[in-house]
Amino acid sequence: MVNGYIDTEIETLAEFDQVAARGSLSGYRIQSVNLLQRTFALLSADTSSAVFLGCPMEPDAAVKVRADGALVFPPVPDLPFDPYRGLLYTADELFAGLPDGYESTPDAQAYGWFQETKADGDVFSSMLRSIHDNAICDALDEHLAGARVVGVMGGHAMARGGAEYRGAAELGRALSRSGLTVATGGGPGAMEAANLGAYLAPAPDEALPEALDMLAKAPSFAPSVSDWAQAAFAVRSRWPGGGDSVGIPTWFYGHEPPNAFAGHIAKYFANATREDGLLARSNAGVVFLPGAAGTVQEIFDNATPNYYGSRGEPTPMILVDRAHWTEHLPAWPLLRALAAGRPLESRIALVDSVDEVPAVLASMT
């Protein structure tokens, strides 16, 4: 029990064993836990009003728990993902099988399934996507409970080896070292750079330039996602056990693979759910690095609830690169005009470089 709230979700076998040992699973929700070796526990425990979501179990156990009045949603065969999963993804999980080529990984296979089903009109497929994304939302909320989260947004085209990529990585490192949880869109480019910085936050300062040199050998995920991802895993092998951060990518943009530096990955099928979820959870503010259409969309997706106060007090918004946001894509003048005379006005800032961000952000929080 936490703050009067009883956690009724069981998401691991260890949690199941702990609860089942007390003799009752009544009222619990068991998510995607393999119970094939827990038949005796299921037969012995009270499972009335329990809900089993995608939990493999022996037929006699399934008959018994249904007789108790439990709801049983069986695993769905032949899917490249688990719609009922209780935990966020890891890079190791999404990139399993990478030595055989990216096409063989669960990430690529899930994207392939999405491409085949997204427009076929099958209500079962759309239901599975919705169940999956809802499960990811739940897991993300649990993971970030109590965290001070800062979003770092930016374009996927930012190549490894450049000054902008290095700056984004230094920003991610600085934010993580200040005690914030870095959250990005989870993809390549600026997103990967910020997650990389957070990953290397516990390492000595000299680790980052060495890692950047290693990554520069595969500057982009095109033409080979496999080479790009393997370079990232080489960095992780060189500095294992890095700092945590969150990546929130989408299979909607399946041509953009997730990056391997986010410690926890909340990958969605629905991009709108992903975008809103990322921004809504950035309770300590959002930093917008130079980007294109996607980043412009994120600026105003974030500005709207800040403008209306629909999520409470407005959170900080910091746009990086004055020339980019006033001349190339002049989002700043519009944002400033929207904010004029409202509480949002004191919560927006335009800076020239990433070096200014930590101090400006600290002054707003």
Side-chain angles (χ1 to χ4, degrees):
M1 180 180 295
V2 179
N3 295 326
Y5 170 72
I6 299 175
D7 183 6
T8 60
E9 294 180 7
I10 296 175
E11 294 152 341
T12 67
L13 197 57
E15 290 176 337
F16 176 86
D17 289 341
Q18 183 180 24
V19 175
R22 300 198 290 263
S24 178
L25 293 160
S26 180
Y28 280 86
R29 282 81 172 100
I30 302 92
Q31 284 182 258
S32 192
V33 179
N34 190 326
L35 300 176
L36 288 171
Q37 304 301 317
R38 295 298 186 272
T39 300
F40 178 78
L42 292 169
L43 294 177
S44 303
D46 175 12
T47 57
S48 60
S49 302
V51 179
F52 293 86
L53 298 166
C55 299
M57 63 181 76
E58 294 292 348
D60 54 343
V63 169
K64 184 267 181 184
V65 300
R66 285 192 175 99
D68 276 354
L71 287 176
V72 179
F73 294 80
V76 181
D78 303 321
L79 277 182
F81 64 95
D82 179 2
Y84 304 113
R85 63 179 301 117
L87 302 172
L88 297 178
Y89 292 99
T90 66
D92 288 330
E93 181 181 2
L94 289 174
F95 283 104
L98 182 64
D100 296 326
Y102 173 69
E103 297 75 15
S104 67
T105 66
D107 186 66
Q109 291 169 2
Y111 176 57
W113 177 89
F114 180 46
Q115 288 294 98
E116 292 174 2
T117 63
K118 66 181 182 180
D120 65 5
D122 182 359
V123 67
F124 185 55
S125 296
S126 62
M127 182 187 74
L128 291 173
R129 293 194 295 270
S130 296
I131 291 172
H132 170 274
D133 286 2
N134 184 72
I136 291 296
C137 283
D138 181 64
L140 186 58
D141 284 338
E142 292 174 355
H143 177 70
L144 293 177
R148 295 178 61 236
V149 182
V150 59
V152 179
M153 312 297 165
H156 70 268
M158 186 182 289
R160 295 166 170 175
E164 286 186 335
Y165 187 95
R166 182 183 69 247
E170 291 171 346
L171 173 63
R173 182 176 65 178
L175 294 172
S176 185
R177 286 178 173 177
S178 73
L180 296 168
T181 297
V182 172
T184 78
M191 297 171 280
E192 180 190 56
N195 287 129
L196 167 66
Y199 182 86
L200 292 176
D205 286 354
E206 57 267 23
L208 182 55
E210 184 179 343
L212 293 173
D213 287 342
M214 293 172 65
L215 292 171
K217 297 173 183 177
S220 173
F221 61 93
S224 173
V225 174
S226 298
D227 292 347
W228 174 83
Q230 285 172 340
F233 279 100
V235 169
R236 288 182 27 162
S237 296
R238 174 70 177 82
W239 294 278
D244 191 27
S245 65
V246 173
I248 308 181
T250 174
W251 280 296
F252 183 81
Y253 296 131
H255 62 287
E256 296 179 18
N259 76 72
F261 295 113
H264 291 82
I265 300 173
K267 190 151 192 179
Y268 290 89
F269 287 105
N271 186 53
T273 305
R274 168 252 192 169
E275 290 276 10
D276 184 70
L278 171 55
L279 295 168
R281 290 173 176 86
S282 297
N283 54 18
V286 183
V287 180
F288 298 92
L289 300 174
T295 311
V296 172
Q297 176 183 344
E298 288 161 348
I299 289 173
F300 294 103
D301 279 348
N302 195 45
T304 300
N306 277 342
Y307 178 88
Y308 288 111
S310 55
R311 294 178 185 149
E313 290 296 315
T315 51
M317 300 178 64
I318 302 176
L319 278 61
V320 179
D321 191 329
R322 190 175 303 272
H324 184 84
W325 294 120
T326 61
E327 299 172 16
H328 180 58
L329 292 173
W332 172 254
L334 179 53
L335 179 62
R336 186 173 57 181
L338 278 172
R342 305 182 74 88
L344 177 59
E345 189 171 20
S346 64
R347 312 291 280 172
I348 62 172
L350 175 66
V351 299
D352 291 309
S353 73
V354 293
D355 297 338
E356 302 171 66
V357 170
V360 172
L361 185 63
S363 72
M364 293 180 171
T365 55

